[in-house]
Amino acid sequence: MKLEKPLLVFLVFVVFILMRMWMLPKTISFGWDQERDAQAVEKIFTQFSLPLIGPRVVGDNGFYLGPYFYYLLAPFYLISSLHPQAMIYFIAFTTTIFFILTFIVFQKLYGQKVTLLFLAIWSFLPATVTQDRISWNPILIPLMFSCLIFTLDRLKNNKKYFIILGLILGLIFHIHFQGLFYLVFTLIYLISKNNKNIKYFFWLLFGFALTFLPLIVFDLRHQGINFNLFINFFSNSDNSVKSIGAFLPVWSNFINLIIGINSTAISIIFWSLLLLFGFINRQKPYIFSFTLLLFITPIAFMIYGKRPSEYYFNYLLPIIILYLSIFISQLKLPYYLIIPLYFLFSFNSFKSIRPSPTSLFYKNDIVQKAKEILQDKSVYISYDTPLGENNGFDYLIKHYKISRSNNPNDPGVQFIIPKKELLPTSGDISLFIPSQF
């Protein structure tokens, strides 16, 4: 088995990378979230202005998180000369680091077989492949999970270590609001492991609070607007209707991406089996705390009372896949059975990767065509697209220095989705340019 081990790791890594990078430029979205991120990062380099706020939680009614996601994106936009292809580099880097760090952490905690099974399942599972091919803040949640476990495994009863732990938990929270559940998990783990840890909790919370400094500076400049948004988010002041079961259809959709069955009853049974499995295996590292987090999850969403998005459950993906990996390892299936099944599942996932006709590649291509035709001529630009499909064009138009007029009486250029015959086209995007050009 010593010779087979590196070969199996290499095999899983190849499949893992292939699933994330295959045709990525032609599938990756450059929509609202991505254009917002690109514009924020561009200002860092062109206006030398560090943002103090980051993405907003749940659209227009939510509060702002910290700006750390923009800071993490910045080096990749610098490498790409502020072109959105930075998203490709970002995904390649972060997913590779996730693979390496998870391999290191899990092999120590759960052994070689469980680790390989975890990474193998993660490499082809539709739920993970889909999330790992989108450039937005939830993509970092799995990596943050591995960073958190890596830190907890090396934690010492020292205020310096707890401050670092608090900083990491704060960073996870500001990457995405669901990171708050990892704070709950950490507190459960620390208390269950050693009650003496409690005296260091102040330093953990101190490190966590330090990550809010940019938001505090922002609020001092803007009459506490974000603090008020935060309070309103957790109150009933928005007068929206709440239901304790609002999360159930979304939970079913989430579980469907894992087991391929979309049923509320099956999703509840699956959750119950996870709890049972966690209780049986509670002596393994971290399993007791993971299981309590699984138990708390539906209670928290019942209290929230609103319909979340599917990706709000992404914080559970590493835990669920870990449980599946431990369960399969306990079945002691032979490798001659596991490996063919692995290739079968991977091939099925691979077939589902298809180009998106409005992806970054096609938006970039059509804007480049417009630049080649227009040169330095000033034009009025408009869009004939479904709602939200025009997102991304503005940034690319500015990036390629197309001279844009604010006068609607000037010659007009229009980007059109879906495509129209007899017009310059890329993917499902057409370009209308006046005959004089």
Side-chain angles (χ1 to χ4, degrees), residues 234-252:
F234 289 101
S235 69
N236 294 319
S237 58
D238 60 357
N239 296 318
S240 60
V241 177
K242 295 187 177 183
S243 169
I244 61 173
F247 75 97
L248 282 174
V250 183
W251 174 253
S252 298

Side-chain angles (χ1 to χ4, degrees), residues 373-405:
I373 297 171
L374 297 172
Q375 300 297 321
D376 296 324
K377 299 178 180 68
S378 182
V379 293
Y380 181 79
I381 296 174
S382 62
Y383 303 102
D384 179 11
T385 69
L387 182 65
E389 289 292 329
N390 62 305
N391 291 314
F393 286 107
D394 286 348
Y395 184 88
L396 289 166
I397 288 166
K398 182 179 179 181
H399 180 81
Y400 286 108
K401 297 181 172 59
I402 294 177
S403 181
R404 190 167 189 172
S405 169

Side-chain angles (χ1 to χ4, degrees), residues 196-254:
K196 295 179 180 179
N197 288 321
I198 295 176
K199 66 180 180 180
Y200 294 100
F201 278 15
F202 168 80
W203 298 108
L204 184 153
L205 296 176
F206 174 71
F208 185 82
L210 283 177
T211 63
F212 285 79
L213 284 177
L215 293 176
I216 293 171
V217 174
F218 175 84
D219 266 1
L220 290 174
R221 293 180 180 178
H222 298 87
Q223 294 77 49
I225 183 173
N226 196 49
F227 179 75
N228 291 327
L229 289 171
F230 183 85
I231 296 300
N232 291 336
F233 182 81
F234 289 101
S235 69
N236 294 319
S237 58
D238 60 357
N239 296 318
S240 60
V241 177
K242 295 187 177 183
S243 169
I244 61 173
F247 75 97
L248 282 174
V250 183
W251 174 253
S252 298
N253 294 338
F254 173 73

Side-chain angles (χ1 to χ4, degrees), residues 72-314:
L72 293 171
L73 273 176
F76 302 96
Y77 272 89
L78 182 62
I79 293 170
S80 67
S81 301
L82 301 183
H83 191 279
Q85 66 186 4
M87 300 187 300
I88 310 297
Y89 308 148
F90 171 71
I91 288 176
F93 179 81
T94 54
T95 54
T96 301
I97 294 300
F98 166 75
F99 186 98
I100 295 171
L101 184 60
T102 303
F103 180 83
I104 294 170
V105 172
F106 277 22
Q107 184 164 243
K108 179 184 176 183
L109 294 174
Y110 303 107
Q112 168 191 310
K113 190 171 184 179
V114 171
T115 301
L116 278 173
L117 284 168
F118 178 92
L119 292 171
I121 295 171
W122 194 280
S123 69
F124 69 76
L125 198 69
T128 57
V129 172
T130 300
Q131 77 155 12
D132 287 351
R133 294 176 64 92
I134 304 174
S135 178
W136 60 344
N137 38 328
I139 192 178
L140 290 176
I141 291 298
L143 176 57
M144 295 293 101
F145 172 85
S146 295
C147 287
L148 176 60
I149 301 303
F150 180 86
T151 305
L152 285 173
D153 193 51
R154 287 154 179 78
L155 190 68
K156 297 179 181 179
N157 286 338
N158 180 292
K159 66 179 182 181
K160 177 180 70 175
Y161 283 88
F162 275 78
I163 290 174
I164 293 172
L165 177 61
L167 289 170
I168 291 173
L169 287 166
L171 176 61
I172 298 173
F173 172 82
H174 291 294
I175 291 300
H176 199 273
F177 179 62
Q178 60 188 279
L180 189 62
F181 284 98
Y182 284 162
L183 174 61
V184 174
F185 153 74
T186 300
L187 295 178
I188 293 172
Y189 170 75
L190 292 174
I191 292 172
S192 63
K193 183 181 180 182
N194 187 349
N195 288 330
K196 295 179 180 179
N197 288 321
I198 295 176
K199 66 180 180 180
Y200 294 100
F201 278 15
F202 168 80
W203 298 108
L204 184 153
L205 296 176
F206 174 71
F208 185 82
L210 283 177
T211 63
F212 285 79
L213 284 177
L215 293 176
I216 293 171
V217 174
F218 175 84
D219 266 1
L220 290 174
R221 293 180 180 178
H222 298 87
Q223 294 77 49
I225 183 173
N226 196 49
F227 179 75
N228 291 327
L229 289 171
F230 183 85
I231 296 300
N232 291 336
F233 182 81
F234 289 101
S235 69
N236 294 319
S237 58
D238 60 357
N239 296 318
S240 60
V241 177
K242 295 187 177 183
S243 169
I244 61 173
F247 75 97
L248 282 174
V250 183
W251 174 253
S252 298
N253 294 338
F254 173 73
I255 296 303
N256 176 48
L257 292 172
I258 299 174
I259 64 175
I261 302 174
N262 197 335
S263 163
T264 299
I266 294 297
S267 66
I268 294 173
I269 293 171
F270 184 76
W271 173 75
S272 302
L273 290 174
L274 289 172
L275 289 179
L276 177 62
F277 181 82
F279 177 77
I280 294 172
N281 292 271
R282 62 188 181 277
Q283 299 303 322
K284 293 184 182 294
Y286 300 99
I287 297 296
F288 173 77
S289 303
F290 290 155
T291 305
L292 278 184
L293 181 62
L294 281 164
F295 179 78
I296 291 170
T297 287
I299 299 173
F301 280 97
M302 282 190 285
I303 294 172
Y304 175 59
K306 299 178 185 178
R307 183 186 177 97
S309 298
E310 281 77 6
Y311 62 85
Y312 269 67
F313 294 108
N314 279 2

